[in-house]
Amino acid sequence: FDPRADQVPLSERPEIDRWILSNLQALVEAANREFADFNVAEVCRAAAAFIDDLSNWYIRRNRRRFWRSRNAGDRDKQAAYQTLHTVLVELSKLLAPIVPFLAERMYRNLVSSWNASAPQSVHLCDYPQLDRSQLDPDLNQRMATAQLVVKLGHNLREGANLRVRQPLAELRYAAADAAQRAAVESLADVIREELNVKQLTACDNLDDLVHYAYKPNLKTLGSKYGKLLGALREKLPLLDPHVLAPLRRGETVTVTIDGNEVILLPDDVLIGTEQAAEWVVADERGIQIALSTRLTPDLKREGMARDFVRQVQQLRKDQNLEIEDRIRISYQSNDPELAMAIAEWNDYIRSETLAESLEVSSSLANKAKPVTVGVGKAWIAIAKA
């Protein structure tokens, strides 16, 4: 990467580049505002949230762009490096008052090491100011919505003991407002890839997959509506679920019980769920999702292939191979389902691992690494081609 190269115009960069730069401007705005109020804790909180987005969303989602073979004409790869470089330089300036030595080391590596005309210390730079031309609140909100769906999906996978490498057939979603629905639709490919699902389906509601039961929390309601507790216990569960639905979003609901107006806070109502078989459901901030847990034989074999790739990549790492090194793979297994999965996904496995060959061997047990692939066992050995 040469930071002196001509910059790829912002309008020509992918949406995810524009998003992280817009998010950076939101952080610049917050840092200037909160420092002016001597609220250093809020600057730290906002910076930590931004760094999490940078590391666990932007960099992770762009690994293939960073890792592609060198090509002077690859403007997409150049845009990724330029975006990351800009973000890290500005971040070093933003954090200089908080972590002065780390910020200084970052800045000297990123700027002073090649640009003799730039200030030689981050502490001699002007503090970053908001550039509204790069700030896109709508884009930030759309990505935040997609991240929420992904977070809910990962939580459901974890609760159902379904690792992310195991593909799933479908995710259904319903949104409380049109903007949320449009955000999910516009970033459907990102969500599918992050959650490893084959299909994303928009629904008006998920009533056919989940039923919510609402019961009064007598501990909190007793002090406020003691005389009505009997009526609340009897009649609240019979109210229209759509009337009580805002409680799931952390909102307050007002209902009438025996002619009395009752204000219900989220803590005043205990919410239970009954889910359809082979589905798990979650909702937060007006977004409701349902994830299919049914695993067909095809999905199981694809999950095995992804597991196999992960084990090979770990072997590459253990042997200190370079990213571009090509390899030969040998394996041994007594699991017929695994053998079928490797045969079916042979091209995918070789492409992901840069393998020139993928062959079965009958005598690997003593010189190969024993691994778990899906629920099966195998021995894998790799050699540099």
Side-chain angles (χ1 to χ4, degrees), residues 14-16 18-19 57 61 136-147 149-150 173 175 177-193 200-202 287:
E15 185 174 65
I16 195 166
R18 300 197 304 275
W19 165 74
W57 193 262
R61 285 206 51 79
D136 188 340
D138 290 339
L139 176 56
N140 290 356
Q141 186 57 47
R142 288 203 309 275
M143 195 67 76
T145 300
Q147 289 175 299
V149 172
V150 169
Y173 69 92
D177 62 58
Q180 289 178 318
R181 183 166 181 155
V184 177
E185 289 174 352
S186 68
L187 292 165
D189 290 342
V190 171
I191 295 169
R192 273 196 297 268
E193 183 179 344
L200 209 63
T201 305
I287 292 182

Side-chain angles (χ1 to χ4, degrees), residues 256-277:
T256 301
I257 301 290
D258 285 353
N260 296 282
E261 185 179 86
V262 177
I263 299 174
L264 298 173
L265 304 177
D267 290 341
D268 293 333
V269 179
L270 303 175
I271 305 174
T273 59
E274 298 175 6
Q275 299 173 156

Side-chain angles (χ1 to χ4, degrees), residues 47-64:
F50 175 82
I51 291 168
D52 184 65
D53 278 344
L54 175 66
S55 302
N56 295 318
W57 193 262
Y58 179 77
I59 292 177
R60 186 175 53 77
R61 285 206 51 79
N62 285 288
R63 283 179 297 190
R64 291 181 185 275

